[in-house]
Amino acid sequence: MIPSNDNNGGKERRTLWIVLLLNAAIAAGFFVSGFFADSSALIANGVDNLSDTAVYALSLVALTRGQTWKTRAAVASGVMLLIFAGGILIDVGRRYLQGSEPIGPTMMVMSAIAGVVNYLCLRLLQRLKDPDVNLRAATTFSFNDFISNGGILIAGVLVLWLGTNWPDLLVGFATAIIAIKGGVEILRDARAETKKSERRSS
């Protein structure tokens, strides 16, 4: 039994390292392309993937700690998602008031690349057996990212077709809403795990 647990822990660490590095690379791609394409949606997803990278780092630390550490890391993940969502809403509001000129083709290409990478991350995380609260949070992040990538692709098509910035702003806003939903779900999961642990110890 012990070797089996050790092997499972090693697989979890390898998986988290892979998704961490992939998310760091995609975040950099989103920031660069978002800056040159003047796209709120791309920058929003760049911030999202950067926060995911930090959360995966927390998850790696939590793997070598007890259940309390894992629950705390999940709480930190949820809070980071909510903070990220607030920042994106502010950016969308600024672009709405000041105006922007997003470049549709750049949005489409970057979203397609990110979609493939995030789908790979999601599949890797879903293959882990009996994921703890922290790994479930990581899976939520990857799922949210994959959905957001689809939104950027559609927005890029509409921006190119209509010649307006509202599809870009709409996806940026939707990305923030998805992040809020994911953050709340993670915090609820962490709270349920805390109550479960308290019942075991009583």
Side-chain angles (χ1 to χ4, degrees):
M1 291 295 295
I2 295 176
S4 177
N5 289 336
D6 289 342
N7 289 336
N8 191 50
K11 185 177 181 180
E12 290 176 346
R13 280 190 290 274
R14 285 193 299 273
T15 299
L16 284 172
W17 269 113
I18 291 171
V19 297
L20 184 155
L21 294 173
L22 288 174
N23 271 270
I26 286 298
F30 270 132
F31 283 130
V32 173
S33 60
F35 175 78
F36 286 106
D38 196 18
S39 169
S40 177
L42 290 177
I43 292 176
N45 278 267
V47 176
D48 187 16
N49 282 97
L50 186 62
S51 68
D52 292 355
T53 302
V55 169
Y56 295 138
L58 280 174
S59 301
L60 280 166
V61 173
L63 280 177
T64 60
R65 307 282 180 156
Q67 184 59 41
T68 300
W69 259 86
K70 292 180 179 181
T71 303
R72 287 175 180 171
V75 170
S77 302
V79 171
M80 285 182 69
L81 258 185
L82 295 177
I83 292 173
F84 145 75
I88 295 306
L89 290 175
I90 292 173
D91 182 67
V92 169
R94 179 185 66 81
R95 290 173 185 272
Y96 175 77
L97 294 174
Q98 296 180 358
S100 62
E101 297 180 2
I103 301 174
T106 303
M107 295 171 64
M108 293 160 62
V109 171
M110 189 61 213
S111 65
I113 295 172
V116 172
V117 173
N118 283 315
Y119 179 75
L120 174 61
C121 291
L122 183 61
R123 294 298 298 163
L124 288 171
L125 290 165
Q126 288 176 335
R127 288 176 183 172
L128 296 176
K129 296 180 179 179
D130 301 320
D132 59 27
V133 62
N134 223 36
L135 291 171
R136 291 197 296 272
T139 303
T140 298
F141 277 147
S142 290
F143 179 75
N144 288 348
D145 292 342
F146 183 67
I147 296 299
S148 297
N149 296 150
I152 297 174
L153 182 61
I154 295 172
V157 172
L158 291 175
V159 165
L160 182 63
W161 181 32
L162 301 175
T164 181
N165 72 343
W166 68 260
D168 177 61
L169 299 180
L170 184 61
V171 170
F173 178 79
T175 300
I177 298 302
I178 291 172
I180 291 172
K181 181 177 179 294
V184 171
E185 288 176 352
I186 291 169
L187 292 176
R188 284 177 177 170
D189 194 15
R191 185 179 179 184
E193 284 292 328
T194 300
K195 289 183 177 180
K196 192 185 297 182
S197 298
E198 290 175 350
R199 284 197 297 269
R200 289 197 196 106
S201 59
S202 61

